[in-house]
Amino acid sequence: MPALFFAQIRKNRKEEGAFVEQPVYQVSQVNEYVKALLDGEPILQDILVRGELSNYKIYPSGHHYFTLKDKDSALRCVMFRSQAQRLRFRPENGMKAIAQGRISVFPRDGAYQLYCGGLSPDGVGDLAVAFEQLKAKLLEEGLFDAAHKKPLPRYPRRIAIVTSSAGAAIHDMLRILRRRFPAAEVALLPVRVQGAEAPAEIAGAIRYANRWNVGDLIITGRGGGSMEDLWAFNDERVARAIYESELPVISAVGHEPDVTISDFVADVRASTPSNAAEIAVPDQLELLRWLRGAGERMAQAEEMKLELCRRRLQTLSEKRVMKDQLAFVQDRRMLLTHLQQRLGDLSEKSVGAKRQKFSALAASLDAMSPLKVLGRGYAVARNGQGILKSYRDALPGSRIEVALGEGSLECTVEKGRP
């Protein structure tokens, strides 16, 4: 139908000037014609468009729909799932971007749009944007917190290395490990460190090392390269595998200036794979020097102890008790005699003080005795109820006893006087 439609239009143009009945077209015919015009324009088949992303939506089908706009206009865009899967950053509303694709018409809606085959941030590379986005996300989740960092074992017995078996990095690490600490065993978990399959392999090898306790620590990394070459270590799957690792992980990616997400998540970051090997194990030469020094210090400490024992023995041998065996007994006998004498003196002093106190109390008690009063010519009258203090206590005819200084009188009361 489109071919006949276009032929009819061309025929109508040739017959211009002659009377021809104005044809009527279907909506679909018009849309198909416009689509054919746009599809036939070479510049619109591979075009770059700069603008600001807005209304960005990702549907369950995996297709991305959004609008590119500037201050004057807007352009509808669609990116199908197959192209969207190749995005290395997360598009966001308000982001300046450059879209690459072709402009055509969707006949059903009659609206033209950009069929996007690629999308990149405007002004910076998509990898740089993806790096910063993932870095901010993991930082917010706490994957970089120092509280989660695990210390490295001081003397590892076995080291698991997750890297390529064909790269120069593994040979450098093995050479340094053999030179510095040959007592440590090395378990190589070979993986790809570049390409689309690399992140899944690296993350899987780290989890495998943890599950089967392959080593006391893990070194993962690769040699230097471009940002794209190192991108496997900026993958979220690798970052989370390192974070979840129960074994401490050293990240050794690229050269000194290279920084990856793995470096932030790992327990220790090494500037190069060679530096990772140096960090992982102690230097056997330094250990030997330390052991020699420790042996010398132990020998010196024992010599000092022996010298102190000699001096103490010399001091004891010069004491009087060591020269006269009975001197110790005699000294103790003299001390005992002195203590006995002091004890006797204290006893006598205490008894004398108590005797003086007793005499004073006895004198005070004797002075207060009623017998002393009777001895001076006084008498005390009492009846069966006790001492009489008033004439009213003795009725006429009652019997009373009168105590004198010497003896007593039994009397009968004849009369009482006030």
Side-chain angles (χ1 to χ4, degrees):
M1 178 181 292
L4 294 175
F5 173 66
F6 300 143
Q8 183 63 41
I9 291 178
R10 288 193 292 270
K11 180 179 179 183
N12 292 341
R13 287 177 178 174
K14 289 180 181 180
E15 296 177 352
E16 187 176 355
F19 178 78
V20 178
E21 184 181 354
Q22 182 71 28
V24 179
Y25 304 107
Q26 299 291 332
V27 173
S28 59
Q29 291 177 315
V30 175
N31 286 346
E32 288 289 348
Y33 179 72
V34 174
K35 181 178 185 302
L37 290 176
L38 295 180
D39 291 346
E41 181 61 43
I43 193 173
L44 298 180
Q45 299 313 298
D46 188 7
I47 190 171
L48 297 176
V49 184
R50 175 185 286 114
E52 179 182 311
L53 299 180
S54 66
N55 299 322
Y56 205 100
K57 297 179 181 179
I58 302 175
Y59 285 82
S61 62
H63 303 326
H64 293 210
Y65 293 88
F66 57 95
T67 300
L68 271 179
K69 66 178 183 178
D70 56 23
K71 63 178 181 179
D72 298 319
S73 301
L75 174 63
R76 294 174 58 186
C77 306
V78 59
M79 179 181 285
F80 295 123
R81 178 180 178 180
S82 57
Q83 287 81 21
Q85 288 177 335
R86 294 198 296 265
L87 284 174
R88 291 182 289 196
F89 73 103
R90 185 176 65 255
E92 297 176 348
N93 289 327
M95 180 182 291
K96 302 290 185 180
I98 297 177
Q100 177 273 328
R102 62 184 179 87
I103 293 179
S104 185
V105 171
F106 185 38
R108 190 193 68 183
D109 298 336
Y112 85 96
Q113 58 188 356
L114 175 67
Y115 291 83
C116 187
L119 189 66
S120 62
D122 187 15
V124 294
D126 55 349
L127 293 182
V129 173
F131 178 88
E132 294 300 331
Q133 287 178 337
L134 181 59
K135 179 182 175 183
K137 175 184 177 181
L138 300 183
L139 176 64
E140 184 178 357
E141 294 183 19
L143 269 68
F144 303 162
D145 291 351
H148 298 296
K149 307 295 184 184
K150 297 176 286 298
L152 301 180
R154 189 169 183 180
Y155 305 107
R157 293 175 296 177
R158 200 172 192 201
I159 300 170
I161 300 180
V162 178
T163 189
S164 171
S165 59
I170 182 61
H171 298 291
D172 291 340
M173 286 189 281
L174 291 176
R175 174 176 51 81
I176 293 174
L177 290 173
R178 282 195 295 265
R179 173 175 56 81
R180 286 177 60 88
F181 197 63
E185 298 180 3
V186 176
L188 174 62
L189 302 179
V191 295
R192 278 175 280 195
V193 294
Q194 186 173 338
E197 299 84 1
E201 291 187 10
I202 296 170
I206 293 173
R207 293 192 174 95
Y208 177 87
N210 278 270
R211 179 178 180 183
W212 300 106
N213 198 24
V214 173
D216 299 323
L217 64 90
I218 299 172
I219 300 176
T220 183
R222 55 156 292 161
S226 65
M227 188 174 189
E228 190 162 8
D229 294 337
L230 307 180
W231 193 251
F233 294 91
N234 289 321
D235 192 277
E236 184 173 354
R237 292 168 289 179
V238 174
R240 294 195 180 279
I242 293 175
Y243 178 76
E244 295 165 0
S245 174
E246 296 180 2
L247 300 174
V249 178
I250 300 176
S251 176
V253 182
H255 301 299
E256 177 67 36
D258 298 323
V259 180
T260 63
I261 297 296
S262 298
D263 295 332
F264 294 113
V265 184
D267 301 296
V268 176
R269 179 204 177 234
S271 57
T272 63
S274 298
N275 179 236
E278 293 173 350
I279 294 173
V281 296
D283 188 349
Q284 64 173 346
L285 297 180
E286 293 182 2
L287 284 177
L288 290 174
R289 284 193 291 269
W290 183 86
L291 289 173
R292 292 193 193 99
E296 293 174 358
R297 290 191 296 272
M298 291 175 63
Q300 291 173 358
E302 292 302 318
E303 288 179 0
M304 290 180 62
K305 287 182 180 180
L306 288 174
E307 182 61 25
L308 291 174
C309 290
R310 290 191 195 98
R311 293 178 183 178
R312 187 178 180 188
L313 180 60
Q314 181 66 25
T315 303
L316 292 174
S317 64
E318 293 176 355
K319 288 185 176 295
R320 175 171 168 263
V321 68
M322 299 301 294
K323 297 178 179 180
D324 184 0
Q325 290 77 10
L326 295 178
F328 180 79
V329 177
Q330 293 172 357
D331 292 343
R332 291 298 182 270
R333 183 180 291 122
M334 291 177 62
L335 179 60
L336 180 60
T337 301
H338 176 68
L339 291 175
Q340 288 176 340
Q341 187 175 6
R342 287 188 60 192
L343 182 60
D345 294 343
L346 290 174
S347 298
E348 289 181 3
K349 184 177 180 180
S350 177
V351 171
K354 294 184 181 301
R355 186 180 289 115
Q356 290 179 0
K357 185 176 181 180
F358 176 76
S359 299
L361 291 174
S364 299
L365 183 61
D366 183 63
M368 297 173 63
S369 175
L371 297 179
K372 289 287 186 179
V373 178
L374 295 178
R376 292 197 297 268
Y378 292 94
V380 176
R382 54 175 174 254
N383 58 11
Q385 282 74 37
I387 296 176
L388 301 177
K389 296 180 179 180
S390 173
Y391 69 93
R392 295 185 186 87
D393 296 337
L395 299 176
S398 61
R399 304 233 358 132
I400 63 173
E401 179 183 1
V402 179
L404 303 175
E406 184 180 352
S408 62
L409 299 174
E410 291 186 1
C411 305
T412 302
V413 179
E414 292 182 356
K415 184 178 178 182
R417 295 191 184 88

